[in-house]
Amino acid sequence: MNVQEIKQRFGIIGNSPLLNRAIDIANQVSPTDISVLITGESGSGKEAFSHIIHQLSPRKHGPFIAVNCGAIPEGTIDSELFGHEKGAYTGAVGERKGYFETVNGGTIFLDEIGEMPLGTQARLLRVLESGQFIRVGSSKVEKTNVRVIAATNVDVYEAVKAGKFREDLYYRLNTVPLRIPPLRDRKEDVYLLFRKFSADFTDKYRTPALHLDEGAQQVLMNYSWPGNVRQLKNLAEQLAVLERDRTITAATLLTYMPQEAGRSNLPMRLDNQQREDFSERDILYKVLFDMKRDMVELKKLVAEIIEHAGTGDNYTPNTQTLNQLYHDIELPAKQEAQFTIQQPVVNTHSNSDALITPHAEEVEESLSLVEKESDLIRKALKKHKGKRKLAAHELGISERTLYRKIKELNL
Ligand SMILES: Nc1ncnc2c1ncn2[C@@H]1O[C@H](COP(=O)(O)OP(=O)(O)O)[C@@H](O)[C@H]1O
Ligand SMILES: [Mg+2]
C-alpha cells in the first residue's frame, strides 16, 4: 500500500511532507515485529498511528489493546500487564490474566510509556527480549508473542538522564522512532482537517454546512494548536452544533480558542492586559465614530437622492438602507444616555502641536479616528472575549455594523 492509499483507508487527512514521512515509516515498519516508539504532542495522532501499524501488520486479525500507563496506579500496573496468581497480594482473590497474556498474537499499544514505573520497565524489557514474563506472585515463566508499540508526549530521553527510565529499554523500544509532527508544523493541513471534521459533524448532527471566511482561515492557520488535531476536531464539533451564523468569522473562532500566555500566534492578537475598561477618551471617540458613520451613510443617501432627482425615474431610497440607518442611529443614542462624562475633555497635545490651527487639528483628528475606531473595536472584542453581540452592544452599534467594521478594518 502506498501513502495515499493508507490515508484513504484510515481516514488520515493532510498532505504535509512531515505527515507523509510519518505514514511512510509506519508503512515500512508494519509488516515486521519491531517495537515502535511513537513520539508527539498530545492529540497529534499517536494512537491513530498505532492502529495503522497494527492493521497493516500480519497480526491484524489478532487482538489489539491500548493501555494508558499514566492512568494505572503504580500498585496495579504489573498485575494489569502481566497478571497475578491468587493471593499474590491483599485483594487478589482470584488469579487474573494480564494483557500480555490475553493479547498473545496481537499488538499492545502502551501509551504514556514515560510514566511506567521502573519495576514494570524491567518486566517489559524481559518480555520484549525473550517473550517471557512471570505473573505477579508466581515463579513460573510464561511465554507470549506480543508486538509492542509505545507512545509518549514527553522526551523519554530526559527521563533516562534523570534515572527514571531504563536506558536499555529506551533503546529497545526506540528501534524505529516515529515522530508525529505537531499541527502547528503542518499548517497546510489545518484547513483540510477542519473541512473534513466540520463536514463529518454537520452530517452527524444534521446541521447546515459551515463556511470559514478569509479571516477565520487565517486564524486557523496561525494558531499554535496546543491540543493538536484533537483540539481542531473538538472545535469543528462545537461550531457544527453551536453556531447559528454558519459563516464563521475570525472573531467567532477566537472565542473557541484558548490563548497561551506569551505566545503570539494570532494575526489578530489583542494585547496582554486582560481586564481594561473603556476610558472617557474612548467613550468620546466612540461617540465620534458613531457620528462619523452616520454622516457617511447620510451623505450616501443624499447623493443617491440627488442623483435620481433630475432623472424623473420613480426613485425611492433603498428601504433596507433607511431601516439600517434608523436602527443604527437609534442604538447609540440610547447607549449614549448611559455615559456620564464627568471631566471636561482636556487637550492632551502638550507640545508645539497644540499651536496648530483648528483646521489642521480637525484633519489630524479625523485621520486618527480610523485608528481609534479599530482600537475601540479591538478593545470591545477583547473585553467581551470575542463575543460580537456583547462587543457591539458596548460600542453602541448594531452587530451587523460591527461585523461590517471588522471586515472593513481588516481586523
Ligand atoms: N491526520 C489526521 N487525520 C484525521 N484525523 C486525525 C489525524 N490525526 C489525528 N486524528 C484524530 O485526532 C484525534 C486525536 O488523535 P490521537 O491519535 O488520539 O492523538 P494522540 O494519541 O497523539 O493523543 C483522534 O480522533 C484521531 O482520529
Ligand atoms: Mg492519546
Side-chain angles (χ1 to χ4, degrees), residues 278-280 283-284 286-287 290 329-342 383-384 390-397:
F278 287 78
S279 69
E280 231 122 54
I283 293 169
L284 279 173
K286 187 156 82 173
V287 174
D290 283 343
I329 291 171
E330 269 271 293
L331 263 172
K334 278 189 226 137
Q335 188 81 3
E336 222 171 303
Q338 294 168 10
F339 304 143
T340 44
I341 299 170
Q342 291 139 339
K383 182 173 171 192
H384 295 288
L390 297 177
H393 186 72
E394 171 99 29
L395 289 166
I397 57 176

mmCIF file of all heavy atoms in Angstrom, residues 278-280 283-284 286-287 290 329-342 383-384 390-397:
data_model
loop_
_atom_site.group_PDB
_atom_site.id
_atom_site.type_symbol
_atom_site.label_atom_id
_atom_site.label_comp_id
_atom_site.label_asym_id
_atom_site.label_seq_id
_atom_site.Cartn_x
_atom_site.Cartn_y
_atom_site.Cartn_z
ATOM 1 N N PHE A 278 -13.092 50.898 29.425
ATOM 2 C CA PHE A 278 -13.077 52.000 28.493
ATOM 3 C C PHE A 278 -12.832 53.305 29.234
ATOM 4 O O PHE A 278 -13.500 53.598 30.214
ATOM 5 C CB PHE A 278 -14.406 52.040 27.753
ATOM 6 C CG PHE A 278 -14.520 50.941 26.758
ATOM 7 C CD1 PHE A 278 -14.820 49.652 27.146
ATOM 8 C CD2 PHE A 278 -14.278 51.192 25.421
ATOM 9 C CE1 PHE A 278 -14.889 48.643 26.231
ATOM 10 C CE2 PHE A 278 -14.354 50.168 24.491
ATOM 11 C CZ PHE A 278 -14.657 48.898 24.892
ATOM 12 N N SER A 279 -11.882 54.076 28.755
ATOM 13 C CA SER A 279 -11.631 55.362 29.384
ATOM 14 C C SER A 279 -12.632 56.371 28.822
ATOM 15 O O SER A 279 -13.298 56.117 27.827
ATOM 16 C CB SER A 279 -10.214 55.813 29.085
ATOM 17 O OG SER A 279 -10.121 56.140 27.718
ATOM 18 N N GLU A 280 -12.649 57.520 29.452
ATOM 19 C CA GLU A 280 -13.556 58.564 28.999
ATOM 20 C C GLU A 280 -13.221 58.960 27.566
ATOM 21 O O GLU A 280 -14.088 59.194 26.736
ATOM 22 C CB GLU A 280 -13.397 59.782 29.901
ATOM 23 C CG GLU A 280 -14.720 60.261 30.404
ATOM 24 C CD GLU A 280 -14.740 60.265 31.916
ATOM 25 O OE1 GLU A 280 -13.845 60.879 32.507
ATOM 26 O OE2 GLU A 280 -15.632 59.632 32.476
ATOM 27 N N ILE A 283 -14.683 56.667 25.204
ATOM 28 C CA ILE A 283 -16.125 56.855 25.037
ATOM 29 C C ILE A 283 -16.390 58.003 24.066
ATOM 30 O O ILE A 283 -17.240 57.910 23.185
ATOM 31 C CB ILE A 283 -16.800 57.115 26.403
ATOM 32 C CG1 ILE A 283 -16.693 55.839 27.252
ATOM 33 C CG2 ILE A 283 -18.258 57.505 26.228
ATOM 34 C CD1 ILE A 283 -17.072 56.023 28.690
ATOM 35 N N LEU A 284 -15.581 59.035 24.218
ATOM 36 C CA LEU A 284 -15.752 60.175 23.302
ATOM 37 C C LEU A 284 -15.466 59.763 21.860
ATOM 38 O O LEU A 284 -16.201 60.109 20.944
ATOM 39 C CB LEU A 284 -14.809 61.314 23.700
ATOM 40 C CG LEU A 284 -15.364 62.143 24.853
ATOM 41 C CD1 LEU A 284 -14.324 63.145 25.330
ATOM 42 C CD2 LEU A 284 -16.625 62.898 24.390
ATOM 43 N N LYS A 286 -15.787 56.953 20.714
ATOM 44 C CA LYS A 286 -16.870 56.063 20.320
ATOM 45 C C LYS A 286 -18.039 56.876 19.768
ATOM 46 O O LYS A 286 -18.569 56.601 18.690
ATOM 47 C CB LYS A 286 -17.301 55.258 21.549
ATOM 48 C CG LYS A 286 -18.279 54.199 21.268
ATOM 49 C CD LYS A 286 -18.209 53.126 22.340
ATOM 50 C CE LYS A 286 -18.994 53.491 23.572
ATOM 51 N NZ LYS A 286 -19.067 52.390 24.524
ATOM 52 N N VAL A 287 -18.382 57.899 20.506
ATOM 53 C CA VAL A 287 -19.477 58.770 20.054
ATOM 54 C C VAL A 287 -19.098 59.397 18.719
ATOM 55 O O VAL A 287 -19.900 59.442 17.785
ATOM 56 C CB VAL A 287 -19.746 59.863 21.111
ATOM 57 C CG1 VAL A 287 -20.769 60.858 20.587
ATOM 58 C CG2 VAL A 287 -20.226 59.224 22.400
ATOM 59 N N ASP A 290 -19.328 56.911 15.885
ATOM 60 C CA ASP A 290 -20.737 56.667 15.542
ATOM 61 C C ASP A 290 -21.267 57.792 14.660
ATOM 62 O O ASP A 290 -21.939 57.555 13.656
ATOM 63 C CB ASP A 290 -21.595 56.630 16.808
ATOM 64 C CG ASP A 290 -21.441 55.315 17.539
ATOM 65 O OD1 ASP A 290 -20.953 54.350 16.897
ATOM 66 O OD2 ASP A 290 -21.776 55.254 18.726
ATOM 67 N N ILE A 329 -28.794 54.435 14.207
ATOM 68 C CA ILE A 329 -28.784 55.725 14.882
ATOM 69 C C ILE A 329 -29.490 55.603 16.231
ATOM 70 O O ILE A 329 -29.052 56.141 17.221
ATOM 71 C CB ILE A 329 -29.442 56.813 14.013
ATOM 72 C CG1 ILE A 329 -28.552 57.095 12.804
ATOM 73 C CG2 ILE A 329 -29.631 58.100 14.804
ATOM 74 C CD1 ILE A 329 -29.183 57.974 11.773
ATOM 75 N N GLU A 330 -30.540 54.844 16.227
ATOM 76 C CA GLU A 330 -31.283 54.615 17.471
ATOM 77 C C GLU A 330 -30.384 54.121 18.597
ATOM 78 O O GLU A 330 -30.368 54.697 19.657
ATOM 79 C CB GLU A 330 -32.340 53.533 17.220
ATOM 80 C CG GLU A 330 -33.676 54.060 16.787
ATOM 81 C CD GLU A 330 -34.537 54.355 17.985
ATOM 82 O OE1 GLU A 330 -34.917 53.397 18.671
ATOM 83 O OE2 GLU A 330 -34.795 55.551 18.228
ATOM 84 N N LEU A 331 -29.659 53.066 18.309
ATOM 85 C CA LEU A 331 -28.892 52.407 19.362
ATOM 86 C C LEU A 331 -27.905 53.317 20.076
ATOM 87 O O LEU A 331 -28.002 53.461 21.288
ATOM 88 C CB LEU A 331 -28.182 51.179 18.805
ATOM 89 C CG LEU A 331 -28.909 49.862 19.028
ATOM 90 C CD1 LEU A 331 -28.221 48.761 18.261
ATOM 91 C CD2 LEU A 331 -28.956 49.515 20.502
ATOM 92 N N PRO A 332 -26.980 53.939 19.351
ATOM 93 C CA PRO A 332 -26.008 54.761 20.061
ATOM 94 C C PRO A 332 -26.677 55.877 20.853
ATOM 95 O O PRO A 332 -26.195 56.258 21.898
ATOM 96 C CB PRO A 332 -25.109 55.328 18.961
ATOM 97 C CG PRO A 332 -25.735 54.961 17.688
ATOM 98 C CD PRO A 332 -26.722 53.873 17.932
ATOM 99 N N ALA A 333 -27.787 56.360 20.380
ATOM 100 C CA ALA A 333 -28.463 57.429 21.102
ATOM 101 C C ALA A 333 -28.884 56.928 22.479
ATOM 102 O O ALA A 333 -28.666 57.577 23.487
ATOM 103 C CB ALA A 333 -29.671 57.905 20.317
ATOM 104 N N LYS A 334 -29.443 55.707 22.511
ATOM 105 C CA LYS A 334 -29.864 55.137 23.788
ATOM 106 C C LYS A 334 -28.651 54.904 24.676
ATOM 107 O O LYS A 334 -28.641 55.220 25.840
ATOM 108 C CB LYS A 334 -30.556 53.790 23.542
ATOM 109 C CG LYS A 334 -32.002 53.935 23.142
ATOM 110 C CD LYS A 334 -32.642 52.549 23.134
ATOM 111 C CE LYS A 334 -33.466 52.332 21.909
ATOM 112 N NZ LYS A 334 -33.289 51.025 21.323
ATOM 113 N N GLN A 335 -27.650 54.327 24.054
ATOM 114 C CA GLN A 335 -26.436 53.965 24.770
ATOM 115 C C GLN A 335 -25.769 55.200 25.374
ATOM 116 O O GLN A 335 -25.315 55.173 26.496
ATOM 117 C CB GLN A 335 -25.483 53.300 23.774
ATOM 118 C CG GLN A 335 -24.262 52.698 24.379
ATOM 119 C CD GLN A 335 -24.605 51.329 24.938
ATOM 120 O OE1 GLN A 335 -25.729 50.850 24.816
ATOM 121 N NE2 GLN A 335 -23.654 50.711 25.567
ATOM 122 N N GLU A 336 -25.740 56.239 24.583
ATOM 123 C CA GLU A 336 -25.072 57.470 24.963
ATOM 124 C C GLU A 336 -25.599 58.006 26.286
ATOM 125 O O GLU A 336 -24.846 58.524 27.096
ATOM 126 C CB GLU A 336 -25.344 58.514 23.878
ATOM 127 C CG GLU A 336 -24.141 59.344 23.513
ATOM 128 C CD GLU A 336 -24.516 60.154 22.297
ATOM 129 O OE1 GLU A 336 -24.902 59.564 21.275
ATOM 130 O OE2 GLU A 336 -24.468 61.376 22.397
ATOM 131 N N ALA A 337 -26.882 57.857 26.458
ATOM 132 C CA ALA A 337 -27.517 58.411 27.641
ATOM 133 C C ALA A 337 -26.962 57.790 28.912
ATOM 134 O O ALA A 337 -27.034 58.381 29.977
ATOM 135 C CB ALA A 337 -29.017 58.202 27.561
ATOM 136 N N GLN A 338 -26.361 56.600 28.776
ATOM 137 C CA GLN A 338 -25.835 55.951 29.967
ATOM 138 C C GLN A 338 -24.461 56.486 30.379
ATOM 139 O O GLN A 338 -24.021 56.275 31.481
ATOM 140 C CB GLN A 338 -25.706 54.447 29.716
ATOM 141 C CG GLN A 338 -27.041 53.777 29.525
ATOM 142 C CD GLN A 338 -26.863 52.385 28.992
ATOM 143 O OE1 GLN A 338 -25.742 51.876 28.945
ATOM 144 N NE2 GLN A 338 -27.947 51.761 28.589
ATOM 145 N N PHE A 339 -23.788 57.106 29.445
ATOM 146 C CA PHE A 339 -22.453 57.604 29.785
ATOM 147 C C PHE A 339 -22.562 58.853 30.638
ATOM 148 O O PHE A 339 -23.330 59.752 30.332
ATOM 149 C CB PHE A 339 -21.665 57.974 28.527
ATOM 150 C CG PHE A 339 -21.548 56.847 27.563
ATOM 151 C CD1 PHE A 339 -21.592 57.090 26.198
ATOM 152 C CD2 PHE A 339 -21.379 55.544 28.002
ATOM 153 C CE1 PHE A 339 -21.478 56.062 25.297
ATOM 154 C CE2 PHE A 339 -21.259 54.510 27.101
ATOM 155 C CZ PHE A 339 -21.311 54.772 25.745
ATOM 156 N N THR A 340 -21.805 58.857 31.666
ATOM 157 C CA THR A 340 -21.715 60.123 32.389
ATOM 158 C C THR A 340 -20.289 60.593 32.259
ATOM 159 O O THR A 340 -19.363 59.974 32.781
ATOM 160 C CB THR A 340 -22.078 59.941 33.866
ATOM 161 O OG1 THR A 340 -21.424 58.755 34.326
ATOM 162 C CG2 THR A 340 -23.578 59.801 34.063
ATOM 163 N N ILE A 341 -20.098 61.613 31.541
ATOM 164 C CA ILE A 341 -18.756 62.132 31.323
ATOM 165 C C ILE A 341 -18.541 63.251 32.326
ATOM 166 O O ILE A 341 -19.155 64.300 32.258
ATOM 167 C CB ILE A 341 -18.590 62.620 29.885
ATOM 168 C CG1 ILE A 341 -18.816 61.436 28.944
ATOM 169 C CG2 ILE A 341 -17.218 63.228 29.679
ATOM 170 C CD1 ILE A 341 -18.922 61.829 27.504
ATOM 171 N N GLN A 342 -17.704 62.915 33.337
ATOM 172 C CA GLN A 342 -17.614 63.860 34.447
ATOM 173 C C GLN A 342 -16.597 64.966 34.222
ATOM 174 O O GLN A 342 -16.715 66.050 34.740
ATOM 175 C CB GLN A 342 -17.259 63.108 35.735
ATOM 176 C CG GLN A 342 -18.404 62.226 36.197
ATOM 177 C CD GLN A 342 -17.903 60.891 36.697
ATOM 178 O OE1 GLN A 342 -16.792 60.480 36.346
ATOM 179 N NE2 GLN A 342 -18.705 60.207 37.480
ATOM 180 N N LYS A 383 -12.617 42.745 25.559
ATOM 181 C CA LYS A 383 -13.345 42.800 26.822
ATOM 182 C C LYS A 383 -14.420 41.714 26.860
ATOM 183 O O LYS A 383 -14.654 41.095 27.894
ATOM 184 C CB LYS A 383 -13.979 44.174 26.991
ATOM 185 C CG LYS A 383 -14.723 44.312 28.317
ATOM 186 C CD LYS A 383 -15.195 45.717 28.550
ATOM 187 C CE LYS A 383 -16.119 45.755 29.760
ATOM 188 N NZ LYS A 383 -16.824 47.023 29.882
ATOM 189 N N HIS A 384 -15.047 41.486 25.720
ATOM 190 C CA HIS A 384 -16.124 40.501 25.700
ATOM 191 C C HIS A 384 -15.663 39.179 25.097
ATOM 192 O O HIS A 384 -16.450 38.421 24.558
ATOM 193 C CB HIS A 384 -17.330 41.071 24.957
ATOM 194 C CG HIS A 384 -17.928 42.243 25.681
ATOM 195 N ND1 HIS A 384 -18.639 42.104 26.841
ATOM 196 C CD2 HIS A 384 -17.856 43.580 25.433
ATOM 197 C CE1 HIS A 384 -19.014 43.313 27.271
ATOM 198 N NE2 HIS A 384 -18.545 44.217 26.440
ATOM 199 N N LEU A 390 -22.024 41.131 22.358
ATOM 200 C CA LEU A 390 -21.765 41.954 23.537
ATOM 201 C C LEU A 390 -20.885 43.155 23.185
ATOM 202 O O LEU A 390 -21.102 44.266 23.663
ATOM 203 C CB LEU A 390 -21.095 41.104 24.628
ATOM 204 C CG LEU A 390 -21.946 39.950 25.157
ATOM 205 C CD1 LEU A 390 -21.175 39.125 26.184
ATOM 206 C CD2 LEU A 390 -23.227 40.491 25.794
ATOM 207 N N ALA A 391 -19.889 42.886 22.330
ATOM 208 C CA ALA A 391 -18.985 43.969 21.922
ATOM 209 C C ALA A 391 -19.771 45.053 21.203
ATOM 210 O O ALA A 391 -19.589 46.249 21.454
ATOM 211 C CB ALA A 391 -17.879 43.410 21.034
ATOM 212 N N ALA A 392 -20.673 44.649 20.323
ATOM 213 C CA ALA A 392 -21.466 45.612 19.568
ATOM 214 C C ALA A 392 -22.321 46.429 20.525
ATOM 215 O O ALA A 392 -22.431 47.655 20.406
ATOM 216 C CB ALA A 392 -22.340 44.885 18.551
ATOM 217 N N HIS A 393 -22.871 45.766 21.498
ATOM 218 C CA HIS A 393 -23.714 46.465 22.464
ATOM 219 C C HIS A 393 -22.898 47.514 23.207
ATOM 220 O O HIS A 393 -23.295 48.656 23.344
ATOM 221 C CB HIS A 393 -24.317 45.457 23.434
ATOM 222 C CG HIS A 393 -25.317 46.076 24.363
ATOM 223 N ND1 HIS A 393 -26.553 46.468 23.934
ATOM 224 C CD2 HIS A 393 -25.232 46.409 25.677
ATOM 225 C CE1 HIS A 393 -27.201 47.010 24.955
ATOM 226 N NE2 HIS A 393 -26.424 46.982 26.025
ATOM 227 N N GLU A 394 -21.720 47.093 23.651
ATOM 228 C CA GLU A 394 -20.837 48.005 24.378
ATOM 229 C C GLU A 394 -20.467 49.213 23.515
ATOM 230 O O GLU A 394 -20.402 50.334 23.985
ATOM 231 C CB GLU A 394 -19.577 47.249 24.806
ATOM 232 C CG GLU A 394 -18.488 48.128 25.386
ATOM 233 C CD GLU A 394 -18.494 48.085 26.909
ATOM 234 O OE1 GLU A 394 -18.909 47.051 27.479
ATOM 235 O OE2 GLU A 394 -18.099 49.070 27.509
ATOM 236 N N LEU A 395 -20.240 48.940 22.234
ATOM 237 C CA LEU A 395 -19.846 50.017 21.332
ATOM 238 C C LEU A 395 -21.051 50.860 20.917
ATOM 239 O O LEU A 395 -20.898 51.923 20.331
ATOM 240 C CB LEU A 395 -19.191 49.422 20.077
ATOM 241 C CG LEU A 395 -17.811 48.814 20.272
ATOM 242 C CD1 LEU A 395 -17.435 47.976 19.069
ATOM 243 C CD2 LEU A 395 -16.767 49.896 20.487
ATOM 244 N N GLY A 396 -22.219 50.352 21.213
ATOM 245 C CA GLY A 396 -23.419 51.095 20.852
ATOM 246 C C GLY A 396 -23.713 51.043 19.368
ATOM 247 O O GLY A 396 -24.271 51.970 18.787
ATOM 248 N N ILE A 397 -23.287 49.992 18.729
ATOM 249 C CA ILE A 397 -23.619 49.828 17.314
ATOM 250 C C ILE A 397 -24.291 48.471 17.139
ATOM 251 O O ILE A 397 -24.235 47.629 18.036
ATOM 252 C CB ILE A 397 -22.356 49.916 16.408
ATOM 253 C CG1 ILE A 397 -21.333 48.875 16.822
ATOM 254 C CG2 ILE A 397 -21.765 51.316 16.456
ATOM 255 C CD1 ILE A 397 -20.110 48.830 15.931
#
